[in-house]
């Protein structure tokens, strides 16, 4: 059966750790779905560009692509930047834009596993406060989603879960850490809800200076790879129209 090429669209960064993490995630996706062609394109700073990948695919005779934003929330990049880039695709290409990765219970599972990898145990949940630290956005929809994730995650047994943002919205990570400390949490952990290292994740890390635990970014977690393939499969549905159609 014909399967569209999966084009993973990453933001890009001057920080070399960003592209390395994206490529590690894509390798995990390929390993989970042998036979699926997976390409990577960047919006900025890194190569290949999204346009460059689309032109190469067209030149090869590929005609069906699922473009998947490597984003955790549906904010400006997903609503404006990426659709604008995809509209510039060669006209013979049928390009469908998949949904962003979040929210998903699998991503919450990945966040929790990162906490355990950092030294916490399930027995610590009732006494530990967690800061769900996002990059931040000026888009109210994206901010609301982060707050919803924090509320749902709190119901799994953590003492408290507070959202925080590295940019564009408040509170900042350090303020959320202090709030949880004042609440009486025996431990405070910061869980970055970000996919790859870079400028804003580094800001989150600095804001976690007074926390007891700081986890790694989500990166190439197996749960992230599973969500990515779920979004690809959903986008293959005939009910989703091609970009520009």
């Amino acid at each position: 059966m014909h399967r569209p090429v999966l084009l993973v669209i990453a933001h890009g960064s001057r920080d070399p750790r960003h592209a390395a993490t994206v490529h590690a995630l894509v390798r995990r996706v390929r390993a989970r779905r042998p036979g699926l062609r997976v390409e990577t394109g960047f919006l900025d700073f890194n190569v290949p560009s999204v346009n460059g990948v689309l032109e190469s695919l067209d030149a090869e005779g590929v005609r069906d692509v699922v473009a998947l934003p490597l984003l955790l929330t549906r904010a400006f990049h997903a609503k404006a930047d990426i659709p604008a880039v995809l509209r510039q695709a060669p006209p013979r290409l049928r390009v469908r834009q998949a949904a962003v990765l979040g929210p998903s219970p699998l991503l919450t599972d990945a966040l929790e596993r990162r906490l355990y990898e950092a030294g916490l145990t399930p027995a610590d949940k009732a006494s530990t406060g967690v800061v769900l630290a996002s990059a931040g956005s000026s888009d109210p929809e994206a901010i609301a989603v982060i707050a919803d994730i924090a509320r749902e995650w709190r119901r799994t047994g953590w003492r408290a879960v507070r959202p925080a943002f590295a940019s564009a919205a408040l509170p900042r990570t350090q303020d959320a850490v202090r709030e949880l400390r004042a609440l009486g949490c025996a431990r405070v952990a910061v869980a970055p809800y970000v996919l790859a290292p870079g400028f804003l994740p580094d800001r989150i890390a600095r804001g976690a200076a007074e926390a007891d635990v700081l986890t790694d970014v989500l990166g190439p977690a197996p749960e992230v790879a599973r969500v990515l393939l779920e979004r690809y499969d959903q986008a293959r549905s005939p009910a989703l129209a091609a970009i520009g159609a």
Side-chain angles (χ1 to χ4, degrees):
M1 181 180 176
H2 168 71
R3 288 193 284 189
V5 171
L6 170 56
L7 171 58
V8 176
I9 300 178
H11 184 274
S13 171
R14 293 186 178 91
D15 189 322
R17 297 173 298 166
H18 174 90
T21 302
V22 170
H23 291 310
L25 173 59
V26 168
R27 285 194 296 272
R28 188 178 286 273
V29 170
R30 290 184 180 125
R32 289 190 66 90
R33 188 74 62 88
L36 172 63
R37 182 172 178 181
V38 186
E39 300 289 344
T40 307
F42 295 91
L43 291 174
D44 207 352
F45 302 116
N46 302 103
V47 293
S49 69
V50 175
N51 281 333
V53 174
L54 291 171
E55 289 170 3
S56 294
L57 291 173
D58 177 61
E60 289 180 33
V62 171
R63 291 294 169 259
D64 204 2
V65 176
V66 168
L68 195 151
L70 201 59
L71 300 169
L72 294 172
T73 57
R74 189 172 175 272
F76 181 78
H77 290 304
K79 293 177 179 178
D81 279 0
I82 292 174
V85 170
L86 296 181
R87 282 194 292 270
Q88 299 171 22
R92 292 178 297 183
L93 277 180
R94 180 173 185 249
V95 184
R96 286 167 284 179
Q97 181 176 331
V100 297
L101 300 182
S104 167
L106 284 170
L107 296 177
T108 307
D109 291 346
L111 288 165
E112 190 139 328
R113 192 163 55 79
R114 287 288 189 242
L115 286 168
Y116 298 150
E117 289 170 352
L120 294 176
T121 71
D124 296 322
K125 293 180 79 165
S127 59
T128 301
V130 179
V131 178
L132 179 66
S134 168
S137 172
S138 58
D139 189 310
E141 178 186 349
I143 297 302
V145 166
I146 301 300
D148 287 343
I149 294 169
R151 280 192 293 270
E152 290 298 318
W153 198 13
R154 160 69 182 81
R155 291 173 183 160
T156 67
W158 295 100
R159 170 74 173 81
V161 181
R162 296 286 189 272
F165 307 95
S167 67
L170 297 174
R172 293 287 184 257
T173 302
Q174 57 268 32
D175 296 324
V177 169
R178 291 166 188 157
E179 179 189 350
L180 290 173
R181 196 75 77 190
L183 190 64
C185 295
R187 291 172 214 77
V188 176
V190 174
Y193 188 59
V194 294
L195 287 167
F199 177 75
L200 292 177
D202 283 349
R203 182 180 287 178
I204 289 171
R206 290 193 297 272
E210 297 176 22
D212 302 293
V213 173
L214 170 65
T215 75
D216 198 0
V217 298
L218 293 172
E223 297 90 346
V224 179
R226 285 178 60 192
V227 176
L228 203 151
L229 286 168
E230 283 185 1
R231 298 292 182 257
Y232 169 79
D233 290 336
Q234 291 161 0
R236 291 177 65 193
S237 165
L240 291 180
I243 294 297

